[in-house]
Amino acid sequence: MNTSIINEPQLLVTVSDPTMLTKLKNAIKMMNGVSSISISIMRPKKTGLELAEEDKAKGRVTQWNSVDEMFDTVLGE
């Protein structure tokens, strides 16, 4: 990786129509001084509740019969 890219100014463009990505990328490539172009798809982060519901749906849950049992398991005793 070219470390000089880190110190160069960067432009972040948000595009609502993904079909425009290729056309926009090609247009920017033609401009003088453009050293690199990358496309990343940003997905919204899941909330804690959404992650918990996903864990539950996939069976990634633990159940204890008592608080003492939980602490024994967590603390490895």
Side-chain angles (χ1 to χ4, degrees):
M1 178 178 170
N2 186 351
T3 56
S4 66
I5 293 175
I6 294 172
N7 296 324
E8 295 176 1
Q10 297 181 2
L11 172 66
L12 174 65
V13 178
T14 303
V15 180
S16 61
D17 182 0
T19 63
M20 293 298 299
L21 286 176
T22 303
K23 292 177 185 177
L24 187 56
K25 183 178 177 180
N26 290 336
I28 293 172
K29 271 189 199 178
M30 292 188 285
M31 301 174 108
N32 290 331
V34 174
S35 58
S36 70
I37 298 174
S38 62
I39 296 174
S40 63
I41 307 298
M42 303 298 287
R43 289 176 174 67
K45 292 185 177 182
K46 293 181 181 180
T47 65
L49 178 60
E50 289 170 328
L51 291 172
E53 289 172 341
E54 186 177 286
D55 285 342
K56 180 183 173 193
K58 292 185 178 184
R60 297 185 299 236
V61 295
T62 304
Q63 184 174 343
W64 291 281
N65 295 319
S66 69
V67 174
D68 290 334
E69 183 184 353
M70 178 194 73
F71 278 113
D72 290 344
T73 304
V74 172
L75 298 175
E77 295 178 4

